[in-house]
Amino acid sequence: MASVVAAFAVPAGGADGPTACVNSVVGLDLQTATIADAERAMAAGRVSSAQLVDAYLARIAAYDTAGPKLNAIRHLNPQAREQAEALDAERRAGHVRGPLHGIPVLLKDNYGTADEPTTAGSIALEDVVPKDDATVVRRLREAGAVVLGKANLSEFAGWVDLQMPAGYSSLGGQVVNANDPDYTPSGSSAGSGVAASMAFSGFAMGTETSGSILSPSDANGVVGVKTTLGLVSRFGILPLAPDFDVPGPMTRSVTDAAIVLGAIAGPDEHDPATADAASHIPPGGDYSPALSTGALKGARLAYSQDAYDSLDDEHRALFDAGIDRLRRLGATVVAVESMRAESSGLAEIGAIPNEFKASLNAYLADQMPGAQVHSLSEIIAFNSQHPDRVKYGQGLLQASDATPGREELFAPQAEPSRASARQTIDAALTEGEADAIITPGNAHANIGAAAGYPTVIEPLGYTDGGKRPFGLGFLGPAFSEPKLLGFAYAYEQDAHARVAPDVVNPAVASVPCAAGSGAADGGGKRRVRPLRVVIHFHGHRQLRVTVLHALGHHALISVRRGRKLLDQDYPRVRRGTTHMRLRARRRGVYRVTVADPGPPLRTARAKRGVR
């Protein structure tokens, strides 16, 4: 992969010399600029699509194959710059296709592209180019997006073996989380999540069967939209389970997610599930009017008490802060008991093996007749010859191959779990008289996927002193994307929760970033020192809690022994430091959790035993 990236990495502006990471292009900060910002810059003639392609390729070369070696990119499109130049020429001629004109995109490597390989990360499908573009890819191209390349993924959407870690594929290797290399990149759309977090393209595309958009969006601190089943076509996407598979955008802002969704949503004769999609799309296919800073005023939101009680101290502190902000923004937030059975969403797993075998074999026959393998059985046999690459086993592939692989079994196997999941979610919405359910991270990804219902997830805060992202999701009934995007946008515009990985990860921050095309940002953003908590004995049965490197004016300090909350204080922070004293009256382990409102919102923890 390194040689592929190096071959196409051109410094922004086309200058000769070693490729350097690019943070901005002519004043356009690639980490914070929205798609609309880039379009305005191109309309003003300040930057071109070709320059954007160059800048993203430079970032990929600096961060993905060098520096921290994130390994998020599987393949780069050698025609990307040529396509960008053609779109620049269209713009100069007065023809602009829409809000994605000239914007580079990275696709998860299960989206079919007729001009570059589509492999699902499998060594058995290396270099295989399918016959057709996926419908989503065709629509993105028609909207003016430039396909920059393919993102690495969990092989076959994570359906190889239970021991295989998230983000690993035999062809692409292991994806690394850019915020914290020791933390999972999560979900099968891992490469798309890392690529979005690192601004390797204007936006990225993922797919979800059960958590594969929501989980990597949560773990990588980006916005993800798990779409309603039937809103966006799946044609041409290498399948896992058609009764649950959906495509969706992964972006750095809710605004971008809404723009991309408008380009890809709609009916497609190749995907019967989308037959009714047109009746659920906003006028003109534009989701942007739903984005309002006042969208949460008067909204009613519910959360699962069971999910809340399952959170650890740090994640509960973040979720509590999120609830408080939602209420300040005008929403009523209530707990419900109806969503106690999160495992009900896992029932869909029983339907996946048969669906995977049948749909994969059909895809190979229709889209890849020239491949060296023609069936799941042949893929398994090929993998058996390469245990060094397929190193975690292939138990899930083998279990799938043992099924009949018959399409007539799809509905009987899938419908019970779909009906149960919908009943559970609908009951929770009814109990709370709610417009949507808020989710701590990806807590309800399984049940939402089983139901075919949409979720929009966005950054909420960071645990472990500020390194590990945690998201806030909005789950709603079928085709409620406009309302969910509105809620997420209102929260995002007030919280400003997301930070770029180079702010928190020293390995990313240490990459020297030279300015490109006239930008002069001087080598990246100022690093944020990790939030720290230190507990000292301060006399007999006296504890002194010290908080270091806080960013807010106050910090919330909570002390627990067991499940009992003993004390809570909100002391003022001076020069990043604050203190709290506690009398430890009984033996036990005293756990301290600190929530620093920032921004960004961060938590840290420490504990001390008292005898």
Side-chain angles (χ1 to χ4, degrees), residues 399-421:
S400 299
D401 203 37
T403 69
R406 289 162 44 194
E407 190 170 347
E408 63 267 26
L409 296 178
F410 285 14
Q413 291 179 338
E415 283 304 322
S417 64
R418 191 189 327 279
S420 174

Side-chain angles (χ1 to χ4, degrees), residues 59-80:
R59 288 182 65 78
I60 290 168
Y63 289 115
D64 206 63
T65 57
K69 298 183 178 180
L70 301 173
N71 201 35
I73 308 303
R74 228 291 303 157
H75 185 268
L76 289 172
N77 180 8
Q79 302 175 45

Side-chain angles (χ1 to χ4, degrees), residues 122-210:
S122 169
I123 53 173
L125 298 178
E126 186 172 11
D127 296 328
V128 179
V129 179
K131 290 187 343 185
D132 298 310
D133 276 348
T135 296
V136 166
V137 176
R138 175 176 58 80
R139 287 178 174 167
L140 289 173
R141 292 192 205 269
E142 290 172 351
V146 179
V147 176
L148 190 63
K150 298 293 188 71
N152 201 358
L153 72 164
S154 302
E155 187 170 344
F156 287 122
W159 198 258
V160 176
D161 194 277
L162 290 173
Q163 301 304 312
M164 188 181 78
Y168 179 80
S169 70
S170 60
L171 186 56
Q174 180 64 53
V175 178
V176 177
N177 189 305
N179 291 275
D180 180 357
D182 296 323
Y183 190 45
T184 177
S186 196
S188 73
S189 303
S192 298
V194 173
S197 77
M198 283 299 299
F200 286 162
S201 60
F203 64 100
M205 294 298 301
T207 64
E208 173 149 346
T209 306
S210 188

Side-chain angles (χ1 to χ4, degrees), residues 500-523:
D502 62 356
V503 174
V504 297
N505 183 355
V508 173
S510 66
V511 174
C513 290
S517 285
D521 54 23

